Amino acid sequence: METIYALSSASGRAGVAVLRVSGPRARAALEALTGEGVPRPRMAALRRFSDPETGAALDRGLALFFPAPASFTGEDVVELHLHGGRAVVTGVLSALARLPDLRAAAPGEFTRRAFENGKLDLTEVEGLADLIDAETEAQRVQALRQMEGALGQLYEGWRARLVRLLAHAEAEIDFPDEEVPGDLIAKLGPEIARLQAGIAAHLDDGGRGERLRDGIEVAIVGPPNVGKSSLLNRLARREAAIVSDEAGTTRDVLEVRLDIGGVPVTLADTAGLREAAGAVEREGVRRALERAERADLRLVVAAPDAGDFALARPGDIRLLNKIDLGAEVPAGVIGVSAATGAGLDLLEAALAEKVGLAYGVSEHPLITRARHREGLRECAAALVRAGEGSEADLVAEDLRLAARALGRITGRVDVEELLDVIFRDFCIGK
Ligand code: GDP
């Protein structure tokens, strides 16, 4: 196994830069840079780092040694906490490059080694990637939970139950009970049904975990001039949209990213829905309709002089804008004024409540990727077949397929072809 090294903190000027070295030569590399023995395991020690060839001073910083197997990768790992100047980092990286049997790490290679050494399962690897990408609090909570094994444990728990069922089915094949034929399903059926119900409930989550990971879409819809762009600007607290009193100025879909109660939201202002005159505007209307159709939540806007809530569907938030002009606000409608800011707090509270209820962090670990969903569907389908079967060897084969589908999610079985896809998204140093 080769020894790899990389800058693990972000590149560029910074107070501190962290370099990681992993592999059998990690210890020797640290000794070569410091000219003395490695610090006690997992204890930070102040060291002077010099170029092993020329003896030139490179930096003074902290060194840590994590002996195998109690390290992130499961191999010997060395961490250098250097001053985060470009020349310092370049100098130490080039000194490492000149040491025998050391090479720069490929993207995601530290994490890949951690996976291959059984330190993380695939769902934990994905959780780690999501944690690094998390932009909002709810995303962070979900990613951290997954990185700490909540999904992996759920799936491995189901897989262990499947393996026990499989053992029963195989025992039946090897030692058939001649006197009671067809007894197998009577014995295994209830447990197969329980597993199936658990997986079905987990699948029936409305895509909540995936939505939280990717961000949800909120569309502002309504006829021209009711103040949709003005409302978007208010919510975004900056001038994101062009506001004009000439009907049909928002010709395309304009969006801002917001953090609503910890959930990442893309708020899209859409071209006014009306009989469009020009071709460009017609295209805008088409896109607006499509966007509104896809949105997870819609804000339907009307004003005292224009629009109504005919478009509104159950679950939409209904807004009457321009209440500063004086108008009656119907029941079930939130009265706002993008001009004065009146009612904006009510709108924000309503948004936070709806978004939080539907997409906030839930009590149970959730599916966060299509990959998991596919594996679970495959598993559930095999369980249905197993529950309907009567031949012991066919039941056993379906149970085996069900277990394998779960094993692929956590990376327990034949995942070679998946690994490149999963680790490709990692950057160097992870
Ligand atoms: P959109 O076409 O629905 O996006 O509407 P705009 O945001 O472009 O606004 C259309 C016109 O209504 C502009 O002249 C705005 O200044 C005006 N407007 C927007 N919100 C309000 C409001 O709350 N009160 C008043 N009086 N005028 C508003």
Side-chain angles (χ1 to χ4, degrees):
M1 185 57 80
E2 289 168 298
T3 299
I4 53 171
Y5 63 86
L7 173 67
S8 283
S9 49
S11 63
R13 242 173 110 243
V16 177
V18 178
L19 258 67
R20 253 196 311 209
V21 187
S22 178
R25 304 284 301 166
R27 178 187 196 124
L30 181 57
E31 287 169 348
L33 283 177
T34 58
E36 56 182 307
V38 292
R40 285 172 53 201
R42 297 171 296 280
M43 302 286 279
L46 188 64
R47 288 286 192 271
R48 206 179 154 75
F49 304 108
S50 330
D51 189 311
E53 271 176 18
T54 63
L58 293 169
D59 193 15
R60 201 164 61 118
L62 295 181
L64 288 109
F65 176 53
F66 303 89
S71 71
F72 174 68
T73 59
E75 306 173 324
D76 276 358
V77 170
V78 157
E79 259 185 39
L80 311 177
H81 295 210
L82 306 168
H83 291 100
R86 287 182 214 278
V88 173
V89 172
T90 316
V92 176
L93 285 175
S94 103
L96 285 170
R98 281 179 274 115
L99 291 174
D101 306 319
L102 254 70
R103 67 161 171 83
E109 199 169 5
F110 290 97
T111 314
R112 186 162 182 157
R113 288 189 177 189
F115 167 72
E116 277 161 3
N117 289 325
K119 288 281 167 175
L120 300 171
D121 73 22
L122 275 190
T123 65
E124 291 163 357
V125 164
E126 290 166 337
L128 170 61
D130 289 351
L131 185 62
I132 291 171
D133 289 335
E135 288 177 351
T136 70
E137 186 186 330
Q139 283 181 320
R140 185 196 68 220
V141 172
Q142 173 164 285
L144 184 60
R145 187 190 277 174
Q146 187 173 329
M147 189 189 76
E148 290 182 326
L151 266 192
Q153 281 157 21
L154 181 67
Y155 299 157
E156 278 302 309
W158 282 337
R159 204 172 74 95
R161 284 165 64 185
L162 273 168
V163 170
R164 275 199 298 278
L165 280 169
L166 185 58
H168 282 295
E170 278 170 346
E172 194 78 10
I173 297 169
D174 295 341
F175 313 102
D177 187 344
E178 304 290 351
E179 284 159 37
V180 213
D183 194 32
L184 179 68
I185 282 306
K187 267 195 290 192
L188 304 187
E191 171 70 348
I192 292 179
R194 270 194 300 275
L195 262 172
Q196 212 181 301
I199 293 172
H202 182 61
L203 273 167
D204 184 23
D205 60 355
R208 187 176 172 142
E210 285 143 296
R211 307 326 294 275
L212 176 54
R213 179 168 170 265
D214 298 337
I216 70 156
E217 291 239 341
V218 177
I220 309 183
V221 293
N225 262 330
V226 292
K228 297 183 300 300
S229 308
S230 310
L231 280 168
L232 178 123
N233 284 338
R234 273 281 178 181
L235 289 168
R237 295 194 171 78
R238 62 188 164 91
E239 295 292 308
I242 313 145
V243 179
S244 141
D245 49 15
E246 190 185 315
T249 41
T250 313
R251 290 218 163 124
D252 211 329
V253 180
L254 206 131
E255 52 180 58
V256 290
R257 292 278 283 182
L258 303 176
D259 177 338
I260 297 184
V263 178
V265 167
T266 303
L267 181 65
D269 171 27
T270 55
L273 301 174
R274 59 165 203 156
E275 292 298 314
V280 176
E281 200 178 317
R282 259 202 308 279
E283 175 58 18
V285 172
R286 195 191 61 76
R287 283 191 213 171
L289 285 169
E290 194 184 274
R291 191 70 181 252
E293 214 43 60
R294 270 198 287 127
D296 300 298
L297 176 63
R298 312 194 313 160
L299 305 181
V300 179
V301 188
D305 54 342
D308 52 32
F309 298 105
L311 272 174
R313 294 184 297 213
D316 290 348
I317 293 181
R318 298 158 193 229
L319 299 175
L320 183 69
N321 188 32
K322 310 195 188 185
I323 53 167
D324 53 295
L325 299 178
E328 194 76 358
V329 180
V333 172
I334 302 174
V336 293
S337 167
T340 67
L344 259 294
D345 51 343
L346 288 178
L347 166 58
E348 284 178 356
L351 258 176
E353 190 190 324
K354 268 201 186 287
V355 168
L357 275 180
Y359 302 101
V361 173
S362 79
E363 247 174 79
H364 309 288
L366 295 171
I367 297 168
T368 56
R369 277 174 163 77
R371 190 181 80 77
H372 308 163
R373 197 171 287 285
E374 281 159 26
L376 289 162
R377 286 212 182 107
E378 206 178 303
C379 175
L383 278 174
V384 170
R385 289 195 306 271
E388 288 166 352
S390 52
E391 302 277 329
D393 48 355
L394 294 182
V395 170
E397 180 57 17
D398 282 324
L399 290 174
R400 210 172 286 126
L401 289 175
R404 190 178 305 154
L406 284 182
R408 268 201 300 271
I409 304 180
T410 54
R412 281 290 197 111
V413 289
D414 43 74
V415 285
E416 261 325 299
E417 78 279 9
L418 270 181
L419 296 184
D420 289 333
V421 178
I422 289 170
F423 288 100
R424 193 178 53 206
D425 295 340
F426 275 74
C427 47
I428 291 169
K430 276 195 229 162

